[in-house]
Amino acid sequence: MELKNVILEKQDKVAIITINRPNALNALNSETLKEINVVIDDLANDDNIYAAVLTGAGKAFVAGADIKEMKDMTTMEGRKFGILGNNVFRKLENLDKPVIAAVNGFALGGGCELSMACDIRIASAKAKFGQPESGLGITPGFGGTQRLARHVGLGMAKELIYTGKIIKADEALRVGLVNAVYEPEQLLEEAKKLANTIAGNAPIAVKLCKEAINRGMQVDIDTALRYESEVFGECFSTEDQKEGMTAFVEKRDKTFKNR
């Protein structure tokens, strides 16, 4: 599939994904969602990429789902569109490599939901977040009713979703929606720096950490701890574990090979 609305760049071990519909504030239409899906598959199959950064072109991260496409949808068409978005975002969430959302501007509706499907969110001081769907006569449809509460707590999520309130980056930091806020000109470099730090660790171990965290959040603590023990043990079958611990003992630099 030819990419028209998404740019994929690969810089050493880090991928940069840019939603590129700046004239539409990077609004997510069906075509863009399908392109994101293609990019996720590409990264899943690339053993040389260890982490990714997701951002938007122009002054928006993603201003939302494409209202022009949605406004005349039937019930069935709306349901199919919601399933498409949820399936793509869930695939992103389950990608076996960490994804950092570098939120450079508006992250509203589907844009906020896209950022929440990433592992880590950092924001420009000019970024704005919100789930304003109730003001358009709809509910969040790409995971907002589920992920927002997991990130900021039930009460804050309900307030933001019921009111449709849009919050600035400093408030998003205060409520725990983002990890850090940077000046706009620093954002992408800080995101790349974070991605490269992650990429410098053993990729199999990072993948298993992500899997254990994500699975553990959905089950009781005892089940989660049993799974943690399983993946902890699995690490000892890898060459990277031997290299990491041997390098530590020998006080030398380590070289991970994703094996």
Side-chain angles (χ1 to χ4, degrees):
M1 180 180 185
E2 181 185 356
L3 298 180
K4 299 178 181 178
N5 302 317
V6 180
I7 299 170
L8 174 61
E9 303 169 89
K10 296 179 180 180
Q11 301 175 3
D12 194 17
K13 297 175 182 177
V14 173
I16 311 297
I17 309 161
T18 305
I19 311 300
N20 188 38
R21 297 186 72 209
N23 292 336
L25 297 178
N26 302 323
L28 298 172
N29 57 10
S30 297
E31 183 179 48
T32 305
L33 288 168
K34 291 172 183 176
E35 289 186 24
I36 295 171
N37 192 66
V38 168
V39 167
I40 296 168
D41 286 341
D42 183 296
L43 297 182
N45 292 316
D46 191 337
D47 291 337
N48 296 314
I49 293 296
Y50 295 174
V53 173
L54 175 62
T55 193
K59 62 182 180 180
F61 176 70
V62 167
D66 195 322
I67 295 173
K68 289 182 180 179
E69 181 178 358
M70 289 191 294
K71 70 181 184 66
D72 295 321
M73 285 181 176
T74 64
T75 298
M76 186 57 67
E77 288 168 340
R79 186 173 293 129
K80 287 181 178 178
F81 188 55
I83 290 170
L84 172 62
N86 265 319
N87 286 346
V88 173
F89 288 10
R90 186 63 173 150
K91 182 184 280 191
L92 177 66
E93 191 170 46
N94 286 331
L95 180 66
D96 63 355
K97 294 148 190 180
V99 181
I100 300 160
V103 182
N104 52 304
F106 295 112
L108 308 177
C112 188
E113 290 166 312
L114 178 59
S115 77
M116 290 189 292
C118 298
D119 295 275
I120 298 168
R121 285 153 299 286
I122 64 174
S124 156
K126 293 184 177 179
K128 294 183 179 180
F129 296 81
Q131 300 288 162
E133 287 91 345
S134 62
L136 297 170
I138 59 174
T139 66
F142 295 167
T145 62
Q146 303 307 308
R147 290 191 182 92
L148 190 58
R150 286 166 165 81
H151 287 301
V152 304
L154 193 60
M156 179 57 68
K158 287 183 174 182
E159 179 182 337
L160 291 172
I161 291 171
Y162 296 172
T163 63
K165 182 167 65 174
I166 294 170
I167 60 173
K168 295 180 180 179
D170 57 349
E171 179 69 359
L173 179 64
R174 187 188 70 81
V175 301
L177 187 55
V178 302
N179 290 39
V181 177
Y182 297 100
E183 290 304 312
E185 62 274 11
Q186 298 176 306
L187 178 67
L188 191 55
E189 285 308 310
E190 291 294 337
K192 291 178 183 178
K193 187 186 301 182
L194 180 56
N196 278 298
T197 298
I198 293 169
N201 289 326
I204 295 172
V206 172
K207 176 187 77 171
L208 292 174
C209 286
K210 175 172 179 172
E211 195 173 308
I213 292 168
N214 286 356
R215 287 184 59 168
M217 290 298 291
Q218 311 305 319
V219 298
D220 65 272
I221 185 68
D222 293 311
T223 301
L225 290 173
R226 283 195 295 272
Y227 185 71
E228 181 184 275
S229 296
E230 288 179 20
V231 299
F232 178 69
E234 189 176 333
C235 292
F236 289 84
S237 67
T238 68
E239 292 180 22
D240 284 349
Q241 175 268 328
K242 302 296 186 290
E243 167 64 12
M245 291 192 173
T246 301
F248 178 85
V249 171
E250 295 178 354
K251 295 181 172 59
R252 61 170 174 81
D253 291 339
K254 53 191 177 290
T255 303
F256 293 124
K257 296 181 179 178
N258 198 15
R259 294 200 295 265

